[in-house]
């Protein structure tokens, strides 16, 4: 809401050409308006008073703080960019490590399958070796029994023939 009724009327009728501004001569006063006059020439802006042209110490301090803040913001942005680069590199390394792990898991699965097959082959070979050992033991027993039989038969022949078999 505009404080001055004349300015409000000019605003409502469309004769107000600029947004109300605060007078530099009277700080804290109500807004002023520039009213257009049909035959009037546009006003040239008044030159700034000398106090506004030369910055005072407070303005210099404000500018220095602003410059420092800009520098700090630039450094913070650079640090954030470096961190982003670090995060991106870490993500890429993580992807490569995940790919290597996946390949290693595949190799482990293949080797596990081969180990399972080799274990089955070893069990089959062990069973075959056990059966062969049984057959060898059985053959050795049979051979020992045959030798005993042969020796016993030779003695029987000797006894029946009355002496040594060559006489």
């Amino acid at each position: 809401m505009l404080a001055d009724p004349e300015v409000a009327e000019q605003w409502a009728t469309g004769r107000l050409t600029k947004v109300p501004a605060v007078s530099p001569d009277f700080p804290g006063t109500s807004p002023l308006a520039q009213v257009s006059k049909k035959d009037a020439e546009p006003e040239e802006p008044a030159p700034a008073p000398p106090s506004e042209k030369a910055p005072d110490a407070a303005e210099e301090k404000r500018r220095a703080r602003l410059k420092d803040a800009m520098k700090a913001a630039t450094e913070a942005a650079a640090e954030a960019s470096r961190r982003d680069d670090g995060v991106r590199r870490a993500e890429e390394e993580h992807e490569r490590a995940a790919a290597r792990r996946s390949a290693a898991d595949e190799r482990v699965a293949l080797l596990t399958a081969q180990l399972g097959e080799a274990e089955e082959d070893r069990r089959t070979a062990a069973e075959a070796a056990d059966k062969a050992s049984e057959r060898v033991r059985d053959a050795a027993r049979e051979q020992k029994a045959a030798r005993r039989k042969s020796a016993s038969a030779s003695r029987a022949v000797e006894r029946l023939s009355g002496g040594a078999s060559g006489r």
Side-chain angles (χ1 to χ4, degrees), residues 22-156:
V22 176
S23 169
D25 299 329
F26 303 103
T29 60
S30 65
L32 301 176
Q34 185 175 8
V35 180
S36 67
K37 297 179 182 150
K38 297 204 178 200
D39 296 327
E41 291 188 20
E43 293 181 20
E44 291 290 322
S51 63
E52 289 184 15
K53 287 185 179 177
D56 59 354
E59 180 66 20
E60 288 296 324
K61 286 182 182 178
R62 187 187 70 77
R63 287 183 184 171
R65 284 193 310 266
L66 182 61
K67 186 177 180 181
D68 290 342
M70 293 290 288
K71 183 178 178 183
T74 302
E75 289 172 359
E79 179 63 25
S81 177
R82 283 191 294 272
R83 285 184 188 148
D84 290 347
D85 290 345
V87 167
R88 185 176 26 79
R89 283 191 301 272
E91 287 173 345
E92 290 170 356
E93 180 60 28
H94 173 60
E95 289 174 7
R96 286 191 298 270
R100 288 192 308 266
R101 181 178 181 178
S102 177
D105 287 346
E106 290 175 11
R107 285 194 306 270
V108 165
L110 176 65
L111 292 173
T112 301
Q114 290 175 347
L115 179 63
E117 292 171 5
E119 182 64 25
E120 183 63 32
D121 290 347
R122 187 199 63 78
R123 263 189 254 125
T124 303
E127 289 171 2
D130 288 345
K131 288 180 183 175
S133 293
E134 288 177 25
R135 285 195 304 267
V136 167
R137 278 191 300 265
D138 290 343
R141 279 187 218 128
E142 289 176 11
Q143 185 180 23
K144 190 175 183 182
R147 282 187 195 143
R148 270 190 239 141
K149 255 186 180 181
S150 172
S152 170
S154 294
R155 282 190 297 262

